[in-house]
Amino acid sequence: MLITITNIQRIFAKYNDLCFEGKLPMPIIKLGNAKNYLGQLRCKKKKDRFGKITLYDFTLCVNTRYEMDEPKLEDVVIHEMIHYYISFNNIKDTSSHGIVFRNIMNDINHRFGRNIMISSKGNQPVSASSQEYKQHLVGVATLKDGTTATMTCARTRLFQIDEDLRRLFPIQNLTWYFTIEPYFNRFPRCTKAKLYRVDKEELTAHLATALELERVGNAFRPKRK
């Protein structure tokens, strides 16, 4: 999709009404060409004599270096709109992508079928394959030291890998999911038991729309709620 200021303004207006009740003023829209981001929200700060900080001149910048189809561009713009909403309303969060941000993001992803991510940074142009919707069987393990690890599994090896993971690793809990989330395209589809340590909060965000599975006899099926 052609990334233009007009297209970004159109997307902003649409999702401002849809997701934010039309309460966000149109920010300054700029186009960038850096290597380390897809979208970015910027603003200026001023402090009065009592130490109160006021944010102003909110600017939404979208990178034109990377190819994005319309759904991806929309997700990038909405991601920055969440930052804008939090800053504009002076809402305190635990970090840049903290609890408040993740709750809003997960709610929008769930209600509107979006695919907003915590981070899309990288020093390579975004390839089509990295953003494709592919089927993944994802194992999520909580290890006994408290860390979180994950892997994607070849469908034909699911039962064996499930057993091997529990036997070979100090696992406290292991849960399987089915998802088409592009985030998991980055992990190799394993035919042997292997785990990759990941950030728990980031992983949880990307599992927001995943289907949790449970083993019933000789089959893995969607878990009954």
Side-chain angles (χ1 to χ4, degrees):
M1 180 181 183
L2 187 62
I3 302 175
T4 66
I5 290 176
T6 299
N7 281 337
I8 296 169
Q9 289 173 331
R10 174 181 56 79
I11 291 169
F12 182 96
K14 175 181 177 180
Y15 288 98
N16 188 25
D17 288 337
L18 193 61
C19 303
F20 301 96
E21 301 178 328
K23 293 181 178 180
L24 294 176
M26 180 67 70
I28 301 166
I29 305 294
K30 290 187 177 181
L31 304 179
N33 191 36
K35 294 182 178 181
N36 61 345
Y37 71 88
L38 293 182
Q40 194 173 77
L41 181 73
R42 305 167 183 167
C43 65
K44 296 178 181 178
K45 299 180 181 180
K46 62 181 178 182
K47 183 185 295 185
D48 64 19
R49 61 192 183 93
F50 301 105
K52 181 180 178 181
I53 296 176
T54 301
L55 306 179
Y56 67 105
D57 281 356
F58 286 94
T59 300
L60 198 164
C61 186
V62 176
N63 202 330
T64 60
R65 177 182 290 262
Y66 305 112
E67 294 183 2
M68 287 186 271
D69 58 16
E70 185 163 2
K72 180 62 180 178
L73 178 58
E74 289 176 341
D75 286 340
V76 169
V77 172
I78 299 169
H79 178 116
E80 302 311 322
M81 291 176 73
I82 298 173
H83 284 303
Y84 186 19
Y85 177 85
I86 292 171
S87 297
F88 183 77
N89 290 285
N90 294 313
I91 299 171
K92 291 185 178 181
D93 204 354
T94 55
S95 65
S96 178
H97 295 107
I99 294 174
V100 175
F101 182 97
R102 292 168 188 269
N103 284 342
I104 297 173
M105 179 190 72
N106 290 338
D107 179 65
I108 292 174
N109 280 341
H110 177 72
R111 287 196 295 139
F112 302 106
R114 303 307 313 180
N115 187 39
I116 306 163
M117 301 181 183
I118 293 297
S119 176
S120 297
K121 293 181 179 181
N123 56 12
Q124 296 294 330
V126 176
S127 66
S129 62
S130 69
Q131 298 303 312
E132 289 178 359
Y133 292 97
K134 301 177 181 179
Q135 296 182 357
H136 297 289
L137 288 172
V138 177
V140 177
T142 301
L143 304 181
K144 291 183 179 179
D145 63 1
T147 59
T148 300
T150 189
M151 70 167 297
T152 62
C153 173
R155 184 181 297 272
T156 57
R157 299 287 295 166
L158 178 57
F159 289 98
Q160 187 61 55
I161 289 178
D162 178 71
E163 293 175 0
D164 288 346
L165 285 174
R166 298 177 190 276
R167 177 173 55 86
L168 298 173
F169 292 88
I171 289 177
Q172 181 175 327
N173 182 66
L174 176 62
T175 306
W176 290 96
Y177 297 89
F178 172 80
T179 181
I180 58 171
E181 164 67 65
Y183 169 83
F184 294 99
N185 294 350
R186 69 189 66 187
F187 297 99
R189 186 157 296 179
C190 298
T191 57
K192 295 182 179 180
K194 192 170 185 179
L195 287 173
Y196 299 88
R197 292 177 187 264
V198 292
D199 177 79
K200 181 180 179 179
E201 290 188 355
E202 180 177 354
L203 182 68
T204 300
H206 290 295
L207 288 170
T209 59
L211 182 65
E212 185 175 345
L213 306 177
E214 63 178 348
R215 186 167 182 172
V216 180
N218 293 321
F220 277 90
R221 297 174 180 173
K223 185 175 181 179
R224 294 183 179 181
K225 296 183 179 180

